């Protein structure tokens, strides 16, 4: 079993350095995936109201048999539930679906600037943290300007900003801005979402030199940048690979070669695209 480092957060809590992504898995798939992943050493499971699989994630967590305090679950408020009262209601549904007393990390899924409700939504998250229903609160797909607005209007900085981040979209400025504000950067789509990135030459070359798989190189690259990936896999051998990134180190030359893959985002642009 792999021991995954715990990353300190600005609220005194911690975040597992690699988590397990669950997007596109249904309740049944995710239930067994969580149990099997926990056996490998995964301690963080990433879901969202929008993934419609919180029930399976929660059942998997209970079935894993691990002490509750050793395991973490992240969930997210979807766009259509933004607003103060709406978010409190949405959280109760999330908590009920998960079947857990508290949620470790609760994020605003997308900023949706056109709605201009993310500050009210953030106030609801602060309230949930104060009541103990949520341990850590954060955001996803937020820009520096949006994070600064949260801080200036509420005095509370997010613990986490979960953003698209992989060798084709390294987000150096946003990572630096997050770090300056004490916000931990978490990486979604770390493997390039299974869309061919892993075959690229710099990843293949580093993988051959290090004796690991290209996916491990991509995840290690993210980790060495000071960000924390949440890869998804339906396959137990790949899940093992994706967690096993702590006993090799990429050289500066390998890090730089991988950065040349920069070609832009694969997912939606949070400044203009909307997701409810
Ligand atoms: N906050 C947000 O807005 C947001 C957006 C997107 C995703 N997320 C979260 O981030 C998680 C990860 O992102 P993602 O699922 O989009 O993409 P990803 O983790 O980058 O890529 C998943 C793809 O990579 C393949 N894969 C996994 N491990 C592999 C390995 N070792 N070697 C080769 N291929 C491998 C998977 O196939 P197999 O399953 O067949 O192994 C799948 O096709 C999501 O599951 C979700 O929890 C958050």
């Amino acid at each position: 079993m792999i021991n995954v480092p715990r990353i300190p957060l600005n609220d005194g809590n911690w975040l597992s350095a690699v988590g397990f992504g669950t997007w596109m898995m249904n309740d049944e798939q995710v239930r067994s995936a969580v149990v099997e992943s926990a056996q490998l050493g995964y301690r963080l499971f990433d879901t969202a109201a929008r993934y419609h699989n919180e029930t399976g994630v929660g059942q998997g967590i209970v079935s894993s048999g691990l002490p509750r305090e050793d395991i973490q679950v992240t969930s997210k408020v979807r766009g259509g539930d933004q607003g103060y009262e709406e978010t409190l209601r949405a959280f109760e549904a999330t908590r009920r679906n998960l079947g857990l007393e508290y949620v470790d990390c609760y994020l605003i899924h997308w900023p949706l600037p056109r709605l201009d409700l993310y500050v009210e939504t953030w106030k609801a998250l602060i309230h949930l943290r104060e009541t103990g229903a949520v341990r850590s609160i954060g955001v996803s797909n937020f820009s520096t300007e949006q994070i600064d607005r949260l801080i200036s209007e509420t005095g509370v900085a997010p613990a986490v900003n979960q953003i698209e981040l992989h060798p084709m979209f390294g987000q150096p400025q946003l990572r630096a801005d997050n770090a300056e504000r004490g916000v931990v950067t978490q990486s979604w789509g770390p493997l390039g979402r299974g869309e061919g990135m892993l075959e690229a030459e710099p990843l293949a070359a580093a993988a051959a030199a290090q004796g690991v798989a290209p996916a491990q190189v991509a995840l290690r690259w993210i980790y060495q940048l000071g960000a924390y990936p949440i890869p998804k896999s339906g396959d137990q051998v790949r899940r093992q690979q994706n967690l096993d990134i702590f006993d090799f180190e990429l050289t500066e030359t390998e890090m730089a070669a991988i950065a040349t893959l920069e070609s832009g985002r694969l997912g939606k642009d949070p400044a203009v695209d909307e997701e409810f």
Side-chain angles (χ1 to χ4, degrees):
M1 205 193 63
I2 296 161
N3 275 320
V4 184
R6 293 181 171 192
I7 307 306
L9 297 175
N10 62 15
D11 57 11
N13 297 322
W14 55 274
L15 182 87
S16 202
V18 174
F20 185 75
T22 69
W23 187 59
M24 296 288 271
M25 296 183 119
N26 64 29
D27 278 321
E28 200 185 321
Q29 292 165 331
V30 88
R31 192 179 306 128
S32 52
V34 168
V35 174
E36 290 163 19
S37 304
Q39 286 162 356
L40 297 172
Y42 284 90
R43 292 294 177 266
L44 166 63
F45 299 93
D46 182 83
T47 182
R50 202 170 173 280
Y51 301 171
H52 301 291
N53 64 10
E54 291 171 315
T55 305
V57 170
Q59 289 170 347
I61 286 173
V62 172
S63 305
S64 76
L66 287 166
R68 176 68 184 91
E69 63 274 16
D70 288 350
I71 210 155
Q72 301 189 307
V73 60
T74 295
S75 194
K76 315 183 191 90
V77 192
R78 70 178 131 205
D81 288 327
Q82 283 206 28
Y84 190 87
E85 295 300 333
E86 292 83 349
T87 295
L88 296 183
R89 263 199 303 278
F91 174 76
E92 281 315 317
T94 278
R95 180 154 67 168
R96 204 168 46 241
N97 289 338
L98 285 166
L100 300 172
E101 217 174 291
Y102 65 87
V103 172
D104 298 273
C105 195
Y106 199 41
L107 310 180
I108 305 178
H109 205 150
W110 291 86
L112 299 182
R114 187 181 59 90
L115 296 188
D116 197 20
L117 286 170
Y118 62 82
V119 175
E120 286 309 300
T121 305
W122 185 240
K123 288 178 183 167
L125 264 57
I126 293 169
H127 172 75
L128 288 168
R129 192 180 65 176
E130 282 166 358
T131 66
V134 172
R135 295 283 156 95
S136 295
I137 54 177
V139 295
S140 180
N141 303 302
F142 270 51
S143 67
T144 301
E145 293 68 29
Q146 289 160 343
I147 287 179
D148 282 344
R149 186 167 165 218
L150 295 183
I151 296 171
S152 72
E153 295 204 24
T154 68
V156 180
V160 172
N161 189 12
Q162 184 184 113
I163 56 173
E164 180 178 349
L165 170 54
H166 46 73
M168 294 193 296
F169 194 50
Q171 302 247 47
Q173 187 61 53
L174 187 49
R175 275 191 285 111
D177 290 347
N178 284 341
E180 204 176 295
R181 289 156 181 76
V183 179
V184 162
T185 300
Q186 205 175 31
S187 136
W188 66 254
L191 302 172
R193 318 195 83 180
E195 292 174 21
M197 179 190 83
L198 297 177
E199 282 128 52
E201 168 58 21
L203 292 172
Q210 298 278 355
V212 297
Q216 291 170 291
V217 172
L219 298 170
R220 179 74 200 188
W221 183 80
I222 293 165
Y223 181 66
Q224 285 184 215
L225 293 177
Y228 305 103
I230 44 170
K232 173 260 166 192
S233 179
D235 177 82
Q236 188 71 343
V237 173
R238 288 173 166 188
R239 289 177 195 144
Q240 162 95 33
Q241 284 179 346
N242 296 347
L243 202 59
D244 193 6
I245 64 160
F246 302 108
D247 60 4
F248 66 98
E249 188 161 357
L250 299 171
T251 63
E252 274 180 36
T253 311
E254 287 168 334
M255 290 292 290
I258 294 163
T260 65
L261 292 175
E262 181 72 34
S263 57
R265 66 175 82 244
L266 293 170
K268 292 184 179 143
D269 180 350
V272 288
D273 293 322
E274 299 192 334
E275 182 174 299
F276 293 92

